[in-house]
């Protein structure tokens, strides 16, 4: 059958004989995003979309952060009248949902959309149009959530939206619907990106990039994408059932007619626990890359690190009940989840030890990216330790739903994911923008963030132990929580300043930064083999990989593959384990259909908050859009 | 960095069937996601059955004949589906056209039968949690049938146009693959909807 | 890092300073809370040590002097192997420690959840946003209902059966024990045991809607004699009002909407929607710990409950000044 599939396209111009300059010019024309608004809307370049994704996610970090600052101001003193209960409840729900669904998960996927194709040495992500679509859907979800908030319909049920508070009876407004439908938007986009990443990593690796030569960040994104695969359907099912309960009167989460309140919690946390590793694992991938680059040696224990990622992935599906220790589940069952939760300290520990060994054996160059990684270790280990504490059922019955847990998860989320992320911004900024970020501002940024973060969140441990529940808009002076809360607020403001500095540094450096060479840090992985910023086609010729750190192994010239067409967009598709190239597959050209599809899908989602009939009138436009998307246009990519 | 030409890929084909091509993997990916969705929906059913002292709750079991007919049709449809796959692998355009038309017709009949199934469930989604979960499961599966039938029809039309180039045969095999998924996920759901309540009730 | 350590130190001193708080798991006043606190300190000690060790190694790794490697890939295989083994054995050590953690956690859990065969039982029902407390007795005539204030005898095991009328709430008295959720369709139980007389504050720990922040209660632990006296007092119906002002107050109560929602045993008011007010004046605070029970606060509450607790399910009273003060006088007399 393969023989039959060998359709040669004789007479087509290939890159083999072309000189460097002519090749670049031709590829530029072939792969470039057209200028103008239409080009902007139709592009399928993973770098353009990745950049957009990153910028959008950081925008959501800013507004999510501002909502946190508002909460901190309210809590700075007892019985403050700055923000009332109704607004406060919306604020923490918006903050949590925004941070988890619109910032943390998307920002990691955004980095993957940008860097995975570069790191595995291909010219575009698999399914570039799906990629464009996923961005538009994500953007609509974010706009939808925040617009609802500014219209006074911001969800106010917490980021895990426990039933029955979310049921029609207790929340007659559309607020829970907004929450549930925002979930649908963001999950659709996350699922799409995961499919793209898995297929890119499986099938589009450069020749010779065998499994054991895949960069650790790519591994982490691969594992993350699988977590998305198996976790997100749970929340889709849950939010759909909730909307059905509210809209057409199904009885899933209503007790009395056979439904069960705890079913919601099981479904939510079956997703929710893997979710936190969906955020954390990419962070560890970034750490591994940065540590290797700045310790100036490959990471100690590549195999243990990769196996730890995979083990964490598997284990993460066996922990969800540790969020439900106070619901009165059977004792034995609960303690099983104690044990499994604690066991996850082993793979996390192994990763920490590998990084320590790498730094110990190398000669670390202290630059801003590494500073953030060092800060990450200090902070994340505290967060991991409190994680182990709350995994104990008896202990958790005291600290569950208190500020102790709030402290735990900000230590792991900000320490474990945001610190590596900011390190990653400093590390990869030169590749994305072609200019270095300012080092002196970077150090200020780091120290403000480190001090501010600890000042903001360490006191919360104590507050929780002292009995302060989470999600309270105020507390009484007699409780004696005023001092620590004020400290936390001051810390949050310092942390805020550090983000403003980051923003300033980034914006300034895009214009005035020192021009970046191809490989400013002398790192070893493929994204540094191309120019900064990379050309639209990523690599003039696809690298042939001979080593885990190709740029360290091949110091002066890079072996490359040749023979790809310069007349139509082609990517190499290779075998899963050995990465032996098998086909030169066409890669799609720009298209407006992903955007149009996203719009009709958005209307469908929005409509179905208000009436079940949206399913009826909303479907035909989607069908039309999809046909438009897939119907061949007779362009070069379709010709074979 | 300087480049050294090390490997010539000009002789490679520009498309291939099944696991050699990326769309097949994309299809597999979505199947994994949706399969997980089905598994979780079944999990919901089992969970509700476990927490309720009596299960199914009130409603009489669904009428059998529409379910049996549809199940039989789905299982039998695997034969022309498989034939269609073989013809696509042979790149026999005429036969593929016939195969796709046949599959489209079968799909439309399946959708119609699904309509009967729903009409003969004998209870509404809002009577109790049992009604809700059964409707959810059947609804979930119906979306899959409908999408795949839509897809098949579009592909059938395409194969009659000038776009029916060799590479499209690979799309045909992927479509065949997806229909297998739609069929294979059904029997467990069928047992759950029609037989489990009879055995438990 | 230095900052981190400074935090830990200041943290410990701060927590010691705050140990006398009236709602704190670090201030255990009974064996249940005590056991959890012990567990906490044990975990903390081990975890803090590991964290310190990580920070020390990290600091040395960063500042220690050594020659730079000329090429990143010039690695000595023997040394690589050695480091690989070290990492794995540390991973093994982690495994051992966490298994030990899981075991001591499980032992503590068994003690805490052990089925008691003595003691008294009471029921606490969560409402948005207040607590209904039911003392059931084998003799139905001795049953009574109160709200937001739970009395228990010291050194007696108390089983609290937890229910809810609406959304999920969570019952939590940090100084006495951990928390337990109140979930419709499920019946949960929490054991309480106070070793010393005192007032222990509790607060709803599961987000339950707008006024989740103002859903507190108190547990009053007193000697068995005092407790019995209190109980006998609560069982009695409300005494008839004395004096014209209070009689007028009762009339106001009975002729306004109050009686639709509230019960005062001994009057015609038998509403079940809001708290039982039969012995309102014996309680220390109103509206689930939102304000102390004083005539001023009570008047303010009845006139405009939404001011004190925006979103509360009680509507404004709509009473004239004289009626209001009579009503307050009457309620303040409900000892
Ligand atoms: C990035 C996200 C992230 C990460 C990585 C983690 C990591 C862990 N979490 Fe956390 N968690 C959250 C995000 C995260 N968590 C969030 C968001 C919530 C709250 C949701 C909500 O309620 O809103 C939560 C809540 C939460 C709970 C529920 C608390 C409650 O609601 O009462 C529990 C309980 O078991 C828990 C446990 C753990 C454990 C055991 C780990 C482990 O993975 C930690 C492992 C790491 C280490 C232990 C450190 C490194 C190891 C060593 C240095 C080796 C030596 C160590 C030992 C010997 C112990 N987490
Ligand atoms: C990755 C996730 C993430 C991140 C990064 C954060 C970041 C922060 N969070 Fe987060 N938080 C959560 C996830 C996260 N949080 C979750 C899941 C919850 C639970 C919600 C729930 O209970 O439902 C929660 C809850 C939560 C609470 C508890 C609320 C309650 O229970 O009542 C608090 C309270 O202090 C808090 C504070 C903060 C602060 C101060 C930050 C700071 O780090 C924020 C710092 C960032 C900024 C300040 C942005 C900077 C802004 C700019 C640079 C823009 C400047 C531009 C202009 C002004 C033009 N958070
Ligand atoms: Cu009741 Cu929170
Ligand atoms: Cu978890």
């Amino acid at each position: 059958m393969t023989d039959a599939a060998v359709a040669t396209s004789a007479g087509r111009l290939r890159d083999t004989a072309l000189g460097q300059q002519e090749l670049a010019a031709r590829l530029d024309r072939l792969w470039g995003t057209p200028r103008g608004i239409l080009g902007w809307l139709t592009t399928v370049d993973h770098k353009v979309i990745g950049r957009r994704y990153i910028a959008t996610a950081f925008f959501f970090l800013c507004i999510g952060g501002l909502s946190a600052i508002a909460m901190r101001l309210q809590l700075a003193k007892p019985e403050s009248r700055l923000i009332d209960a109704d607004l406060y409840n919306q604020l923490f729900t918006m903050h949590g949902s925004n941070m988890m669904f619109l910032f943390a998960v998307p920002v990691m996927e955004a980095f993957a959309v940008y860097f995975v194709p570069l790191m595995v040495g291909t010219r575009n992500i698999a399914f570039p149009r799906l990629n464009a679509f996923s961005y538009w859907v994500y953007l609509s979800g974010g706009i939808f959530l925040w617009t609802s908030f500014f219209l006074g319909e911001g969800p106010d049920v917490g980021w895990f939206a426990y039933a029955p508070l979310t049921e029609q009876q207790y929340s007659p407004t559309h607020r829970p619907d907004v929450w549930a439908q925002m979930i649908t938007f963001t999950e659709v986009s996350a699922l799409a990106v995961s499919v793209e990443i898995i297929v890119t990593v499986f099938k589009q690796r450069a020749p010779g990039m065998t499994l054991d030569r895949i960069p650790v960040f790519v591994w982490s994104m691969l594992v993350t994408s699988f977590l998305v695969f198996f976790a997100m359907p749970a929340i889709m099912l849950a939010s759909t059932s909730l909307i059905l309960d509210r809209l057409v009167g199904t009885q899933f989460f209503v007790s009395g007619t056979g439904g069960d309140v705890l079913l919601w919690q099981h479904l939510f946390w079956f997703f929710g626990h893997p979710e936190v590793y969906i955020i954390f694992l990419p962070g560890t991938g970034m750490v591994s890359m940065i540590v290797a680059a700045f310790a100036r040696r490959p990471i100690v224990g590549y195999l243990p690190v990769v196996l730890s990622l995979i083990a964490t992935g598997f284990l993460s599906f066996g922990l969800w009940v540790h969020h439900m220790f106070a619901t009165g589940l059977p004792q034995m069952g609960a303690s099983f989840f104690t044990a499994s939760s604690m066991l996850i300290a082993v793979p996390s520990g192994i990763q920490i030890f590998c990084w320590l060994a790498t730094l110990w054996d190398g000669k670390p160059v202290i630059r801003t990216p590494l500073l953030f990684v060092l800060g990450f270790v200090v902070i994340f280990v505290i967060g991991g330790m409190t994680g182990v504490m709350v995994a104990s059922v008896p202990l958790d019955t005291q600290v569950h739903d208190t500020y102790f847990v709030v402290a735990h998860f900000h230590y792991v989320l900000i320490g474990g994911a945001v610190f590596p992320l900011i390190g990653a911004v400093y590390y990869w900024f030169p590749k994305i923008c072609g200019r270095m970020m300012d080092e002196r501002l970077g150090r200020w940024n780091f120290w403000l963030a480190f001090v501010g973060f600890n000042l903001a969140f360490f006191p919360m441990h104590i507050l929780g132990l002292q009995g302060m529940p989470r999600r309270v808009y105020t507390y009484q002076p007699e409780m004696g929580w005023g001092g620590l809360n004020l400290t936390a607020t001051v810390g949050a403001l310092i942390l805020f300043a550090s983000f403003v500095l980051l923003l300033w540094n980034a914006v300034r450096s895009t214009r005035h930064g020192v021009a970046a060479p191809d490989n400013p840090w002398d790192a070893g992985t493929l994204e540094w083999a191309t120019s900064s910023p990379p050309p639209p086609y990523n690599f003039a010729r696809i690298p042939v990989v001979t080593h885990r750190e190709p740029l360290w192994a091949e110091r002066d010239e890079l072996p490359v593959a040749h023979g790809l067409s310069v007349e139509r967009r082609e990517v190499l598709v290779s075998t899963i384990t050995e990465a032996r190239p098998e086909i030169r597959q066409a890669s799609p050209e720009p298209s407006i259909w992903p955007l149009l599809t996203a719009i009709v899908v958005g209307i469908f989602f929005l409509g179905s908050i208000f009436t079940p009939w949206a399913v009826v009138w909303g479907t035909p436009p989607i069908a039309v859009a999809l046909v438009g998307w897939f119907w061949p246009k007779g362009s070069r990519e379709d010709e074979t | 960095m300087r480049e050294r030409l090390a490997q010539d890929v000009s002789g490679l084909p520009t498309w291939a069937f099944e696991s050699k091509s990326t769309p097949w993997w994309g299809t597999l990916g979505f199947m994994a996601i949706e399969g997980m969705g089905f598994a979780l929906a079944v999990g919901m059913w089992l969970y509700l059955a476990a927490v309720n002292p009596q299960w199914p709750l009130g409603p009489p079991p669904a009428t059998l004949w529409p379910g049996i007919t549809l199940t039989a049709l789905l299982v039998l449809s695997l034969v022309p589906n498989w034939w269609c796959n073989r013809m696509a692998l042979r790149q026999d355009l005429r036969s593929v056209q016939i195969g796709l038309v046949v599959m489209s017709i079968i799909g439309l009949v399946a959708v119609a039968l699904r309509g009967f199934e729903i009409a003969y469930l004998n209870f509404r989604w809002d009577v109790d949690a049992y009604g809700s979960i059964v409707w959810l499961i059947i609804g979930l599966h119906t979306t899959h049938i409908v999408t795949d039938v839509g897809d098949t029809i579009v592909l059938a039309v395409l194969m009659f146009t000038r776009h029916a180039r060799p590479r499209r045969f690979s799309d045909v095999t992927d479509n065949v693959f997806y229909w297998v998924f739609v069929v294979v996920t059904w029997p467990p759901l069928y047992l759950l909807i029609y037989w489990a309540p009879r055995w438990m009730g | 890092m230095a900052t981190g350590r400074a935090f830990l130190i200041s943290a410990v001193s701060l927590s010691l300073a705050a140990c006398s708080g009236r709602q704190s798991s670090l201030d255990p006043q009974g064996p249940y809370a005590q056991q959890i606190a012990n567990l906490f300190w044990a975990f903390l000690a081990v975890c803090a040590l590991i964290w310190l060790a990580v920070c020390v190694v990290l600091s040395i790794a960063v500042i220690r002097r050594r020659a730079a490697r000329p090429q990143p890939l010039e690695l000595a295989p023997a040394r690589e192997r050695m480091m690989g083994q070290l990492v794995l054995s540390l991973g093994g050590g982690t495994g051992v420690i966490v298994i030990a953690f899981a075991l001591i956690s499980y032992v503590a859990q068994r003690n805490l959840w052990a089925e008691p065969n003595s003691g008294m039982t009471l029921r606490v029902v969560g409402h948005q946003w207040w607590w209904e407390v039911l003392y059931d007795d084998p003799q139905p005539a001795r049953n009574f209902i109160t709200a937001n204030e739970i009395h228990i005898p010291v050194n007696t095991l108390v089983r609290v059966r937890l229910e809810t009328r609406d959304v999920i709430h969570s019952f939590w008295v940090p100084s006495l024990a951990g928390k337990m959720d109140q979930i419709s369709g499920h019946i949960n139980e929490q054991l309480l045991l106070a070793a010393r007389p005192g007032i222990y504050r509790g607060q709803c720990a599961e987000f339950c809607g707008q006024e989740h922040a103002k859903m507190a209660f108190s547990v009053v632990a007193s000697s068995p004699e005092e407790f019995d006296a209190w109980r006998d007092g609560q069982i009695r119906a409300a005494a008839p009002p004395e004096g014209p002002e209070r009689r007028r107050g009762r009339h106001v109560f009975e002729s306004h909407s109050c009686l639709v929602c509230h019960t005062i045993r001994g009057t015609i008011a038998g509403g079940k929607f809001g708290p039982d007010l039969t012995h309102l004046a014996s309680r220390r605070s109103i509206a689930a710990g939102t304000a102390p029970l004083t005539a001023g606060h009570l008047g303010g509450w009845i006139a405009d409950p939404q001011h004190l607790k925006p979103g509360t399910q009680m509507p404004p009273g709509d009473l004239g000044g004289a009626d209001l003060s009579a009503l307050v006088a009457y309620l303040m007399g409900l000892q």
Side-chain angles (χ1 to χ4, degrees), chain B residues 127-149:
Chain B
V127 281
D128 56 28
Y130 177 74
S132 308
I133 184 66
V134 170
W135 275 78
L136 182 75
I137 291 176
I138 210 163
L140 212 56
H141 193 261
T142 307
T143 18
H144 283 77
I145 297 198
V146 171
T147 346
D148 197 41
V149 172

Side-chain angles (χ1 to χ4, degrees), chain A residues 146-363:
Chain A
W146 281 98
T147 312
S148 307
F149 174 73
F150 287 112
L151 294 177
E153 285 285 292
D156 57 354
V157 288
W159 85 278
F160 39 76
Y162 277 180
L165 184 59
T166 44
E167 292 283 355
Q168 198 67 35
Q169 189 184 353
Y170 304 109
S171 297
T173 62
H174 275 299
R175 292 176 173 187
D177 299 314
V178 169
W179 181 87
Q181 216 54 308
M182 177 276 295
I183 298 287
T184 317
F185 278 99
T186 52
E187 308 307 78
V188 165
S189 80
L191 284 165
V193 173
S194 300
V195 173
E196 295 152 21
I197 289 173
I198 290 182
V199 177
T200 308
V201 177
F202 274 2
K203 297 301 289 178
Q204 291 190 193
R205 300 200 308 278
M209 187 179 278
T210 50
L211 286 182
D212 62 344
R213 290 179 185 157
I214 297 180
V216 180
F217 176 71
V218 175
W219 268 114
S220 75
M221 283 314 306
L222 184 66
V223 175
T224 301
S225 302
F226 274 107
L227 291 189
V228 171
F229 262 39
F230 296 114
M232 300 236 171
I235 184 82
M236 293 279 272
L237 212 56
S239 63
T240 308
S241 311
L242 176 62
I243 291 180
L244 291 174
D245 266 13
R246 294 176 52 85
L247 192 67
V248 298
T250 53
Q251 311 281 317
F252 291 107
F253 310 118
V254 188
S255 65
T257 41
D260 186 60
V261 172
L262 285 183
L263 174 60
W264 172 268
Q265 300 192 15
H266 283 292
L267 282 173
F268 185 89
W269 291 115
F270 186 84
F271 146 81
H273 186 83
E275 160 91 349
V276 308
Y277 294 98
I278 288 170
I279 294 168
F280 171 60
L281 292 183
T284 68
M286 294 168 168
V287 169
S288 293
M289 304 295 277
I290 296 176
V291 163
F294 289 90
R296 314 231 21 78
R297 57 151 292 154
I299 189 151
V300 172
Y302 174 85
L303 189 63
V305 166
V306 171
L307 290 179
S308 294
L309 291 172
I310 297 173
T312 309
F314 274 106
L315 277 174
S316 71
F317 285 97
L319 311 184
W320 79 95
V321 169
H322 71 205
H323 296 272
M324 300 166 62
F325 284 157
T327 55
L329 294 169
Q331 231 203 103
M332 258 324 274
S335 43
F336 166 81
F337 288 93
T338 294
S340 60
S341 306
M342 289 191 175
L343 273 184
I344 210 153
V346 175
S348 300
I350 288 180
Q351 290 211 61
I352 297 266
F353 302 138
C354 288
W355 297 321
L356 287 179
T358 312
L359 289 170
W360 184 281
D361 187 70
K363 186 166 167 49

Side-chain angles (χ1 to χ4, degrees), chain C residues 299-333:
Chain C
W301 168 258
I302 296 169
D304 186 8
Q306 304 296 328
H307 179 74
L308 209 54
K309 197 170 175 179
T312 178
Q313 316 253 359
M314 171 157 149
D318 195 20
L319 300 165
D323 275 356
L324 184 61
S325 54
L327 181 58
V328 170
Y330 166 64
L331 291 172
M332 289 301 284

Side-chain angles (χ1 to χ4, degrees), chain C residues 32-89:
Chain C
Y32 291 115
Q34 184 68 53
Q35 199 161 15
I36 300 179
N38 295 346
L39 194 64
F40 169 73
W41 292 111
F43 269 60
L44 181 65
V46 178
C47 289
L49 277 178
I50 299 175
W51 176 74
L52 269 178
V54 167
C55 290
V56 168
V57 173
L58 185 68
S59 320
I60 300 179
V62 171
I63 57 182
R64 136 189 122 92
R65 295 178 167 279
R66 79 214 83 159
R69 199 177 248 106
Q71 281 298 327
L73 291 182
E74 280 179 17
L75 309 169
R79 190 173 160 81
E80 294 297 304
R81 248 197 321 281
M82 190 271 287
M83 286 194 292
Q85 277 159 2
L86 182 69
V87 164
L88 289 185
S89 34

